[in-house]
Amino acid sequence: MASSKEELFLLIRRDSWQQGLSVRALARKYRVHRRLVREALCSTVPAPRRTPRRHSPRLEPFKKTIDQWLLDDLDAPPKQRHTVKRILSRLQQEAGADIAYSTVWDYVHRRRQEIAEAAGATPAAGFVIRHNQPGMDAEVDFGEAWVDLAGERTKCFVFAFRLAYSGKAVHRITASCGQEAFFDGHVHAFRTLGGIPAGQIRYDNLSPAVSRVVHRSRSREEHPRWADFRRHFSVTPFYCEPGLRGAHEKGGVEGQVGYWRRNYLTPVPRVDSLNELNDAFAGFEEAEENRRIGMRIRTIGQDFARGAPLLLPLPENPFETGLALNPRVDRYGMVAVRVCRYSVPVRFIGRTVHVLLRSSEVVVFHGRTEIARHPRLTTKGAERVVLDHFLEVLLSKPGALAGSEALDQARREGTFTPAHEALWSTAKHTLGECEGTKALVQVLLLHRHLQHRDVVAGIRAALAVGACTADVVALEARKAAETEGRSPTVTATTVLPEPVVPPDLPLPSLSERRATRLPADQRPLPTLERWDQLLHRPGRESR
């Protein structure tokens, strides 16, 4: 049997010509009606199937009314136009019509498009190919992604910065899509690319950048910090239209976020920290340079090499991307930052401190001194408690140590080691519950000026000789360091691996590069010829 109607027509015509079979014989052979046989003998191509046009007698009297309503909708606000349900309701209320919903839907679905096209309100849908130049334009967007962070499924955000010409993209995953993550993603992208696009950078109307969209205009009211940021880096923003129309104006980065999520975040990655995943992103981006986009003859890396020399240089002065806050330390030695709480040393209870909130960490200052640094928490209501911050209180309240949250977190992080547990057990057995805990707290205070591994070695050496006091542990810790030929003292580099500037410092002065651009001072030098006139009082001499 023929697999299609065209093949059936061919077989009927062949048998009629070669074997001379009649119409009845051909119909009997191929089990079809004689009308189909006659159609095959008259034409080599089957007639196209006609789509039946359904008639609705009940709707016929109301078609002109519906057409007028749909025509009036072209001038009405988009959110106040007729729906199928509203049209059916008006026909029932105003004209007493008894029509099924499906009948009205079929007619409105077809006529709405026809009326709009006849009025010229809906031009043909299509896309215009954009001409991109090397080193000029770029696109920015945020996307959502899920990560198994430290064993917990967490919602994160992927910042994507994509060069329009080459397709070279830089990504950074953060716990939020706030302004600090927005700025940090830009700085990371500029450093990775080695420069700043000389043309426009296309954005959605993101709240970190745009405070208000001016109605029916490309103008935007920008956030003050964003305005300072883009002026510092000489960024020229281009804000897309709100909604789906704006997404088409930066379709490259819209597709980039989905491509990155499907290819590098599937299956859901399991990491201990977001920094670990960001380090892996660098390797993924390097592998992407060997990929060709669409039908391009050059790779992403080859196109990027053409545009890299045309990027603008980075400014000499850094820009602090963190958000400055001024919370007050509560009686538990904690500060609240974005629905999360972080500990500070208890001596600052009741004082107002300065907090620098970054995309990946929280830095706490008192005046110009850094007093605490924590990784940024990702779960609402989470708490980060450091045992070292509460040691002064535990000296006076040793009974609170056993059930404290600070001790529990220290055990999970590994800073409170089995050696500390053994020392605590020995001290309580030797000195009693209260004094033994105080001895442990005094040993924990040694971590502030001795390296952690030296203190642990000192604890083990002290336990070997049956001692549990802080003096013996400190002596053995120094001996362990001297045996390895190094100093046991904790240096500033060890405590603060990445020093930062407090958020309340004044702005830096003009750099030498800017100072050289100032015009020469043409004013004459000051003279002291009339200085003696200040020594005399004209009023006294006249009297």
Side-chain angles (χ1 to χ4, degrees):
M1 295 297 293
S3 59
S4 65
K5 197 171 183 180
E6 289 81 359
E7 294 182 2
L8 178 61
F9 273 37
L10 180 61
L11 295 176
I12 292 174
R13 293 173 65 85
R14 185 196 61 185
D15 291 349
S16 175
W17 174 61
Q18 292 181 352
Q19 302 178 18
L21 298 179
S22 64
V23 174
R24 185 181 298 276
L26 290 171
R28 188 182 302 112
K29 178 179 180 180
Y30 291 103
R31 298 180 181 179
V32 295
H33 200 276
R34 294 189 297 275
R35 288 194 302 268
L36 184 63
V37 175
R38 295 189 181 97
E39 183 182 351
L41 295 176
C42 294
S43 174
T44 58
V45 180
R49 176 174 294 182
R50 292 178 297 179
T51 302
R53 190 175 183 87
R54 297 182 179 178
H55 298 280
S56 50
R58 292 188 178 183
L59 185 64
E60 196 67 31
F62 310 106
K63 286 185 177 180
K64 291 184 178 180
T65 304
I66 296 175
D67 290 349
Q68 185 61 41
W69 291 347
L70 296 178
L71 186 62
D72 295 340
D73 280 350
L74 297 179
D75 298 327
K79 293 186 178 181
Q80 292 179 252
R81 295 177 180 176
H82 284 84
T83 62
V84 176
K85 183 177 180 180
R86 178 55 181 162
I87 291 175
L88 178 61
S89 176
R90 289 191 63 182
L91 292 176
Q92 292 173 347
Q93 295 175 1
E94 300 176 11
D98 184 16
I99 310 171
Y101 176 87
S102 59
T103 303
V104 179
W105 188 94
D106 291 339
Y107 182 76
V108 172
H109 179 71
R110 175 175 56 86
R111 287 295 292 162
R112 192 192 298 274
Q113 185 70 18
E114 293 175 355
I115 292 174
E117 291 179 356
T122 56
F127 298 92
V128 178
I129 298 177
R130 189 165 178 267
H131 175 67
N132 298 310
Q133 298 179 2
M136 293 298 293
D137 296 344
E139 301 168 343
V140 170
D141 196 16
F142 266 111
E144 297 179 357
W146 290 90
V147 177
D148 287 339
L149 186 61
E152 183 177 354
R153 185 65 57 89
T154 306
K155 181 181 180 180
C156 300
F157 299 88
V158 179
F159 174 88
F161 187 100
R162 183 181 185 272
L163 295 177
Y165 175 76
S166 62
K168 169 72 174 177
V170 181
H171 309 81
R172 192 161 185 83
I173 190 165
T174 56
S176 73
C177 57
Q179 193 178 68
E180 61 279 359
F182 185 63
F183 290 169
D184 185 63
H186 278 80
V187 174
H188 172 70
F190 294 155
R191 291 176 180 174
T192 303
L193 298 174
I196 304 169
Q200 296 177 335
I201 302 180
R202 296 176 172 255
Y203 299 94
D204 283 333
N205 301 285
L206 301 170
S207 57
V210 177
S211 300
R212 188 175 73 89
V213 178
V214 180
H215 182 58
R216 293 184 179 180
S217 171
R218 288 284 185 179
S219 301
R220 303 290 188 271
E221 289 187 7
E222 297 181 335
H223 194 282
R225 287 203 74 220
W226 164 244
D228 295 339
F229 179 89
R230 69 176 185 82
R231 282 193 293 265
H232 180 83
F233 286 97
S234 301
V235 169
T236 304
F238 177 88
Y239 301 108
C240 301
E241 293 185 20
L244 186 61
R245 292 176 60 111
H248 294 309
E249 293 182 338
K250 57 180 187 63
V253 75
E254 294 281 350
Q256 178 67 31
V257 172
Y259 171 83
W260 194 261
R261 190 164 43 216
R262 290 189 300 270
N263 290 274
Y264 297 105
L265 295 176
T266 303
V268 177
R270 298 180 180 179
V271 293
D272 295 329
S273 66
L274 293 181
N275 290 333
E276 179 183 346
L277 189 55
N278 281 320
D279 293 340
F281 278 7
F284 300 155
E285 291 163 0
E286 184 177 356
E288 280 289 304
E289 293 188 358
N290 298 322
R291 181 172 66 92
R292 288 180 173 84
I293 299 177
M295 300 180 65
R296 296 184 184 182
I297 60 175
R298 293 183 298 271
T299 63
I300 293 176
Q302 291 171 343
D303 282 339
F304 174 68
R306 297 182 60 186
L310 304 177
L311 298 174
L312 298 178
L314 295 172
E316 297 178 2
N317 300 326
F319 187 93
E320 178 54 60
T321 60
L323 178 63
L325 304 171
N326 298 303
R328 186 180 180 88
V329 183
D330 61 15
R331 60 180 178 175
Y332 299 102
M334 308 285 286
V335 291
V337 181
R338 292 280 179 87
V339 301
C340 294
R341 303 177 70 211
Y342 304 87
S343 67
V344 299
V346 292
R347 63 181 181 275
F348 298 103
I349 289 178
R351 300 185 184 182
T352 300
V353 294
H354 304 295
V355 173
L356 196 60
L357 178 64
R358 291 176 169 173
S359 60
S360 59
E361 65 179 358
V362 175
V363 188
V364 185
F365 295 90
H366 182 260
R368 302 175 64 90
T369 305
E370 180 181 334
I371 60 175
R373 182 189 292 255
H374 302 276
R376 182 166 178 173
L377 300 175
T378 58
T379 306
K380 184 177 180 180
E383 294 181 344
R384 164 81 175 175
V385 187
V386 178
L387 180 59
D388 180 75
H389 294 164
F390 302 92
L391 296 182
E392 289 82 359
V393 174
L394 293 175
L395 281 175
S396 59
K397 299 180 179 180
L401 176 62
S404 64
E405 177 67 20
L407 178 62
D408 181 70
Q409 292 193 15
R411 284 170 172 165
R412 284 181 289 171
E413 294 175 0
T415 56
F416 196 84
T417 63
H420 293 86
E421 299 279 6
L423 177 68
W424 193 12
S425 177
T426 302
K428 288 191 294 184
H429 180 73
T430 304
L431 304 176
E433 186 78 22
C434 181
E435 295 300 324
T437 303
K438 288 183 179 181
L440 172 66
V441 173
Q442 291 173 354
V443 171
L444 294 175
L445 288 170
L446 297 177
H447 287 281
R448 295 183 178 180
H449 57 87
L450 297 177
Q451 296 189 19
H452 183 272
R453 59 175 177 174
D454 294 335
V455 175
V456 173
I459 292 175
R460 292 170 180 168
L463 292 176
V465 297
C468 56
T469 60
D471 295 337
V472 177
V473 173
L475 179 61
E476 295 296 336
R478 292 186 174 89
K479 287 182 179 180
E482 292 173 357
T483 302
E484 298 181 4
R486 55 181 175 80
S487 173
T489 305
V490 176
T491 60
T493 304
T494 305
V495 177
L496 302 177
E498 191 177 338
V500 297
V501 180
D504 57 341
L505 290 181
L507 294 175
S509 60
L510 291 175
S511 63
E512 296 180 0
R513 178 175 61 85
R514 293 184 178 180
T516 55
R517 299 181 181 179
L518 296 177
D521 192 357
Q522 303 295 337
R523 295 176 297 177
L525 295 175
T527 61
L528 303 178
E529 296 176 357
R530 300 183 180 182
W531 181 264
D532 293 340
Q533 295 181 3
L534 299 175
L535 302 177
H536 303 285
R537 298 179 63 182
R540 179 177 298 179
E541 291 178 357
S542 62
R543 290 195 297 269

